[in-house]
mmCIF file of all heavy atoms in Angstrom:
data_model
loop_
_atom_site.group_PDB
_atom_site.id
_atom_site.type_symbol
_atom_site.label_atom_id
_atom_site.label_comp_id
_atom_site.label_asym_id
_atom_site.label_seq_id
_atom_site.Cartn_x
_atom_site.Cartn_y
_atom_site.Cartn_z
ATOM 1 N N SER A 1 15.131 2.727 -14.024
ATOM 2 C CA SER A 1 15.998 1.582 -14.328
ATOM 3 C C SER A 1 15.211 0.302 -14.617
ATOM 4 O O SER A 1 15.710 -0.581 -15.310
ATOM 5 C CB SER A 1 16.970 1.340 -13.171
ATOM 6 O OG SER A 1 16.273 0.927 -12.011
ATOM 7 N N VAL A 2 13.985 0.201 -14.090
ATOM 8 C CA VAL A 2 13.207 -1.034 -14.283
ATOM 9 C C VAL A 2 12.056 -0.858 -15.280
ATOM 10 O O VAL A 2 11.464 -1.850 -15.715
ATOM 11 C CB VAL A 2 12.633 -1.548 -12.932
ATOM 12 C CG1 VAL A 2 13.750 -1.860 -11.966
ATOM 13 C CG2 VAL A 2 11.654 -0.552 -12.332
ATOM 14 N N LYS A 3 11.765 0.357 -15.643
ATOM 15 C CA LYS A 3 10.600 0.638 -16.484
ATOM 16 C C LYS A 3 10.700 -0.009 -17.867
ATOM 17 O O LYS A 3 9.698 -0.436 -18.434
ATOM 18 C CB LYS A 3 10.413 2.148 -16.626
ATOM 19 C CG LYS A 3 8.973 2.573 -16.807
ATOM 20 C CD LYS A 3 8.818 4.074 -16.617
ATOM 21 C CE LYS A 3 7.349 4.462 -16.612
ATOM 22 N NZ LYS A 3 7.177 5.929 -16.388
ATOM 23 N N GLY A 4 11.896 -0.113 -18.410
ATOM 24 C CA GLY A 4 12.049 -0.639 -19.757
ATOM 25 C C GLY A 4 12.282 -2.134 -19.838
ATOM 26 O O GLY A 4 12.466 -2.672 -20.941
ATOM 27 N N LEU A 5 12.264 -2.822 -18.709
ATOM 28 C CA LEU A 5 12.496 -4.267 -18.721
ATOM 29 C C LEU A 5 11.333 -4.999 -19.369
ATOM 30 O O LEU A 5 10.153 -4.646 -19.153
ATOM 31 C CB LEU A 5 12.714 -4.777 -17.291
ATOM 32 C CG LEU A 5 13.936 -4.215 -16.541
ATOM 33 C CD1 LEU A 5 13.994 -4.767 -15.127
ATOM 34 C CD2 LEU A 5 15.221 -4.545 -17.300
ATOM 35 N N ASP A 6 11.634 -6.043 -20.143
ATOM 36 C CA ASP A 6 10.599 -6.782 -20.872
ATOM 37 C C ASP A 6 9.607 -7.462 -19.929
ATOM 38 O O ASP A 6 8.441 -7.648 -20.285
ATOM 39 C CB ASP A 6 11.252 -7.847 -21.772
ATOM 40 C CG ASP A 6 12.084 -7.227 -22.884
ATOM 41 O OD1 ASP A 6 11.822 -6.053 -23.220
ATOM 42 O OD2 ASP A 6 12.997 -7.907 -23.402
ATOM 43 N N GLU A 7 10.061 -7.851 -18.745
ATOM 44 C CA GLU A 7 9.197 -8.586 -17.822
ATOM 45 C C GLU A 7 8.210 -7.687 -17.082
ATOM 46 O O GLU A 7 7.233 -8.164 -16.505
ATOM 47 C CB GLU A 7 10.054 -9.328 -16.773
ATOM 48 C CG GLU A 7 10.975 -10.387 -17.343
ATOM 49 C CD GLU A 7 12.283 -9.793 -17.846
ATOM 50 O OE1 GLU A 7 12.471 -8.567 -17.710
ATOM 51 O OE2 GLU A 7 13.114 -10.560 -18.366
ATOM 52 N N VAL A 8 8.463 -6.383 -17.099
ATOM 53 C CA VAL A 8 7.680 -5.446 -16.297
ATOM 54 C C VAL A 8 6.484 -4.915 -17.092
ATOM 55 O O VAL A 8 6.652 -4.331 -18.162
ATOM 56 C CB VAL A 8 8.560 -4.277 -15.811
ATOM 57 C CG1 VAL A 8 7.716 -3.252 -15.060
ATOM 58 C CG2 VAL A 8 9.685 -4.798 -14.925
ATOM 59 N N GLN A 9 5.300 -5.114 -16.537
ATOM 60 C CA GLN A 9 4.077 -4.626 -17.178
ATOM 61 C C GLN A 9 3.743 -3.201 -16.738
ATOM 62 O O GLN A 9 3.319 -2.378 -17.543
ATOM 63 C CB GLN A 9 2.903 -5.558 -16.839
ATOM 64 C CG GLN A 9 1.596 -5.152 -17.489
ATOM 65 C CD GLN A 9 0.483 -6.128 -17.164
ATOM 66 O OE1 GLN A 9 0.686 -7.121 -16.461
ATOM 67 N NE2 GLN A 9 -0.706 -5.866 -17.674
ATOM 68 N N ALA A 10 3.913 -2.931 -15.449
ATOM 69 C CA ALA A 10 3.618 -1.591 -14.930
ATOM 70 C C ALA A 10 4.495 -1.333 -13.709
ATOM 71 O O ALA A 10 4.878 -2.255 -12.989
ATOM 72 C CB ALA A 10 2.150 -1.473 -14.556
ATOM 73 N N VAL A 11 4.800 -0.043 -13.477
ATOM 74 C CA VAL A 11 5.651 0.345 -12.362
ATOM 75 C C VAL A 11 5.133 1.654 -11.784
ATOM 76 O O VAL A 11 4.632 2.520 -12.517
ATOM 77 C CB VAL A 11 7.125 0.476 -12.805
ATOM 78 C CG1 VAL A 11 7.249 1.458 -13.968
ATOM 79 C CG2 VAL A 11 8.016 0.890 -11.655
ATOM 80 N N ALA A 12 5.233 1.801 -10.450
ATOM 81 C CA ALA A 12 4.745 3.020 -9.806
ATOM 82 C C ALA A 12 5.387 3.155 -8.431
ATOM 83 O O ALA A 12 5.775 2.160 -7.812
ATOM 84 C CB ALA A 12 3.219 2.988 -9.675
ATOM 85 N N PRO A 13 5.508 4.390 -7.932
ATOM 86 C CA PRO A 13 6.034 4.589 -6.576
ATOM 87 C C PRO A 13 4.976 4.214 -5.534
ATOM 88 O O PRO A 13 3.777 4.196 -5.827
ATOM 89 C CB PRO A 13 6.337 6.086 -6.536
ATOM 90 C CG PRO A 13 5.358 6.680 -7.498
ATOM 91 C CD PRO A 13 5.195 5.660 -8.598
ATOM 92 N N TYR A 14 5.421 3.932 -4.316
ATOM 93 C CA TYR A 14 4.473 3.643 -3.235
ATOM 94 C C TYR A 14 5.054 4.109 -1.902
ATOM 95 O O TYR A 14 6.258 4.281 -1.736
ATOM 96 C CB TYR A 14 4.145 2.151 -3.165
ATOM 97 C CG TYR A 14 5.214 1.314 -2.500
ATOM 98 C CD1 TYR A 14 5.162 1.018 -1.137
ATOM 99 C CD2 TYR A 14 6.299 0.820 -3.228
ATOM 100 C CE1 TYR A 14 6.150 0.261 -0.531
ATOM 101 C CE2 TYR A 14 7.288 0.072 -2.618
ATOM 102 C CZ TYR A 14 7.209 -0.213 -1.268
ATOM 103 O OH TYR A 14 8.197 -0.955 -0.669
ATOM 104 N N HIS A 15 4.173 4.323 -0.949
ATOM 105 C CA HIS A 15 4.537 4.633 0.432
ATOM 106 C C HIS A 15 3.506 3.924 1.301
ATOM 107 O O HIS A 15 2.316 4.218 1.221
ATOM 108 C CB HIS A 15 4.509 6.143 0.672
ATOM 109 C CG HIS A 15 5.121 6.549 1.985
ATOM 110 N ND1 HIS A 15 5.359 7.868 2.317
ATOM 111 C CD2 HIS A 15 5.539 5.817 3.061
ATOM 112 C CE1 HIS A 15 5.903 7.926 3.516
ATOM 113 N NE2 HIS A 15 6.011 6.687 3.991
ATOM 114 N N SER A 16 3.936 2.965 2.111
ATOM 115 C CA SER A 16 2.992 2.156 2.873
ATOM 116 C C SER A 16 3.392 2.039 4.332
ATOM 117 O O SER A 16 4.557 2.247 4.702
ATOM 118 C CB SER A 16 2.876 0.756 2.264
ATOM 119 O OG SER A 16 4.094 0.046 2.407
ATOM 120 N N GLY A 17 2.419 1.710 5.166
ATOM 121 C CA GLY A 17 2.677 1.532 6.589
ATOM 122 C C GLY A 17 1.447 1.010 7.296
ATOM 123 O O GLY A 17 0.345 0.974 6.731
ATOM 124 N N ARG A 18 1.642 0.583 8.529
ATOM 125 C CA ARG A 18 0.541 0.104 9.357
ATOM 126 C C ARG A 18 -0.089 1.272 10.097
ATOM 127 O O ARG A 18 0.575 2.259 10.433
ATOM 128 C CB ARG A 18 1.039 -0.926 10.367
ATOM 129 C CG ARG A 18 1.659 -2.165 9.762
ATOM 130 C CD ARG A 18 0.625 -3.066 9.129
ATOM 131 N NE ARG A 18 -0.393 -3.479 10.072
ATOM 132 C CZ ARG A 18 -1.434 -4.234 9.760
ATOM 133 N NH1 ARG A 18 -1.610 -4.634 8.501
ATOM 134 N NH2 ARG A 18 -2.328 -4.576 10.657
ATOM 135 N N ALA A 19 -1.383 1.149 10.358
ATOM 136 C CA ALA A 19 -2.092 2.193 11.093
ATOM 137 C C ALA A 19 -3.304 1.588 11.795
ATOM 138 O O ALA A 19 -3.740 0.483 11.478
ATOM 139 C CB ALA A 19 -2.532 3.308 10.145
ATOM 140 N N LEU A 20 -3.818 2.337 12.764
ATOM 141 C CA LEU A 20 -5.028 1.942 13.474
ATOM 142 C C LEU A 20 -6.163 2.839 13.010
ATOM 143 O O LEU A 20 -6.049 4.067 13.056
ATOM 144 C CB LEU A 20 -4.829 2.071 14.981
ATOM 145 C CG LEU A 20 -6.004 1.620 15.859
ATOM 146 C CD1 LEU A 20 -6.205 0.105 15.745
ATOM 147 C CD2 LEU A 20 -5.766 2.011 17.317
ATOM 148 N N LEU A 21 -7.265 2.233 12.571
ATOM 149 C CA LEU A 21 -8.430 2.982 12.107
ATOM 150 C C LEU A 21 -9.492 2.985 13.200
ATOM 151 O O LEU A 21 -9.868 1.925 13.710
ATOM 152 C CB LEU A 21 -8.997 2.365 10.826
ATOM 153 C CG LEU A 21 -8.328 2.772 9.494
ATOM 154 C CD1 LEU A 21 -6.832 2.488 9.513
ATOM 155 C CD2 LEU A 21 -8.984 2.056 8.319
ATOM 156 N N ASN A 22 -9.966 4.176 13.553
ATOM 157 C CA ASN A 22 -10.954 4.332 14.624
ATOM 158 C C ASN A 22 -12.211 5.014 14.113
ATOM 159 O O ASN A 22 -12.135 5.990 13.367
ATOM 160 C CB ASN A 22 -10.383 5.169 15.782
ATOM 161 C CG ASN A 22 -9.200 4.503 16.452
ATOM 162 O OD1 ASN A 22 -9.162 3.283 16.596
ATOM 163 N ND2 ASN A 22 -8.236 5.305 16.860
ATOM 164 N N VAL A 23 -13.347 4.482 14.533
ATOM 165 C CA VAL A 23 -14.642 5.126 14.303
ATOM 166 C C VAL A 23 -15.445 4.950 15.583
ATOM 167 O O VAL A 23 -15.925 3.851 15.884
ATOM 168 C CB VAL A 23 -15.401 4.517 13.110
ATOM 169 C CG1 VAL A 23 -16.754 5.201 12.941
ATOM 170 C CG2 VAL A 23 -14.591 4.642 11.834
ATOM 171 N N GLU A 24 -15.547 6.030 16.351
ATOM 172 C CA GLU A 24 -16.210 5.986 17.656
ATOM 173 C C GLU A 24 -15.558 4.891 18.515
ATOM 174 O O GLU A 24 -14.368 4.933 18.767
ATOM 175 C CB GLU A 24 -17.716 5.774 17.465
ATOM 176 C CG GLU A 24 -18.380 6.927 16.713
ATOM 177 C CD GLU A 24 -19.855 6.708 16.490
ATOM 178 O OE1 GLU A 24 -20.351 5.602 16.767
ATOM 179 O OE2 GLU A 24 -20.517 7.659 16.028
ATOM 180 N N ALA A 25 -16.328 3.892 18.950
ATOM 181 C CA ALA A 25 -15.778 2.854 19.826
ATOM 182 C C ALA A 25 -15.198 1.681 19.056
ATOM 183 O O ALA A 25 -14.676 0.739 19.648
ATOM 184 C CB ALA A 25 -16.859 2.358 20.794
ATOM 185 N N ARG A 26 -15.280 1.721 17.711
ATOM 186 C CA ARG A 26 -14.790 0.612 16.892
ATOM 187 C C ARG A 26 -13.411 0.953 16.332
ATOM 188 O O ARG A 26 -13.166 2.082 15.921
ATOM 189 C CB ARG A 26 -15.771 0.318 15.751
ATOM 190 C CG ARG A 26 -17.146 -0.128 16.222
ATOM 191 C CD ARG A 26 -18.086 -0.355 15.037
ATOM 192 N NE ARG A 26 -18.395 0.880 14.346
ATOM 193 C CZ ARG A 26 -19.382 1.690 14.682
ATOM 194 N NH1 ARG A 26 -20.149 1.414 15.714
ATOM 195 N NH2 ARG A 26 -19.613 2.789 13.990
ATOM 196 N N SER A 27 -12.539 -0.059 16.289
ATOM 197 C CA SER A 27 -11.198 0.154 15.749
ATOM 198 C C SER A 27 -10.674 -1.134 15.134
ATOM 199 O O SER A 27 -11.100 -2.238 15.519
ATOM 200 C CB SER A 27 -10.240 0.646 16.844
ATOM 201 O OG SER A 27 -10.107 -0.329 17.862
ATOM 202 N N HIS A 28 -9.762 -0.988 14.195
ATOM 203 C CA HIS A 28 -9.154 -2.150 13.554
ATOM 204 C C HIS A 28 -7.863 -1.712 12.868
ATOM 205 O O HIS A 28 -7.784 -0.623 12.299
ATOM 206 C CB HIS A 28 -10.103 -2.762 12.518
ATOM 207 C CG HIS A 28 -9.756 -4.170 12.152
ATOM 208 N ND1 HIS A 28 -8.794 -4.479 11.222
ATOM 209 C CD2 HIS A 28 -10.218 -5.364 12.604
ATOM 210 C CE1 HIS A 28 -8.695 -5.799 11.107
ATOM 211 N NE2 HIS A 28 -9.539 -6.349 11.942
ATOM 212 N N GLY A 29 -6.838 -2.572 12.912
ATOM 213 C CA GLY A 29 -5.588 -2.282 12.242
ATOM 214 C C GLY A 29 -5.699 -2.504 10.748
ATOM 215 O O GLY A 29 -6.517 -3.292 10.282
ATOM 216 N N ALA A 30 -4.868 -1.794 9.989
ATOM 217 C CA ALA A 30 -4.892 -1.931 8.526
ATOM 218 C C ALA A 30 -3.517 -1.602 7.957
ATOM 219 O O ALA A 30 -2.733 -0.859 8.557
ATOM 220 C CB ALA A 30 -5.941 -1.014 7.910
ATOM 221 N N HIS A 31 -3.256 -2.183 6.802
ATOM 222 C CA HIS A 31 -2.054 -1.848 6.045
ATOM 223 C C HIS A 31 -2.463 -0.852 4.963
ATOM 224 O O HIS A 31 -3.251 -1.170 4.077
ATOM 225 C CB HIS A 31 -1.448 -3.096 5.407
ATOM 226 C CG HIS A 31 -0.203 -2.822 4.634
ATOM 227 N ND1 HIS A 31 -0.195 -2.643 3.271
ATOM 228 C CD2 HIS A 31 1.091 -2.669 5.037
ATOM 229 C CE1 HIS A 31 1.032 -2.413 2.865
ATOM 230 N NE2 HIS A 31 1.835 -2.421 3.905
#
């Protein structure tokens, strides 16, 4: 429905969420 709109340059599906990344004793949150 949005692919043919004049204002739209590119369109694609996505699936996103927050997660915790761990490497040994180091960790950090990421989107």
Side-chain angles (χ1 to χ4, degrees):
S1 66
V2 299
K3 210 167 188 178
L5 298 178
D6 294 338
E7 297 84 2
V8 176
Q9 181 178 359
V11 56
Y14 78 93
H15 191 171
S16 67
R18 299 288 302 178
L20 183 67
L21 277 56
N22 297 324
V23 179
E24 297 179 351
R26 297 178 293 273
S27 62
H28 199 278
H31 181 263

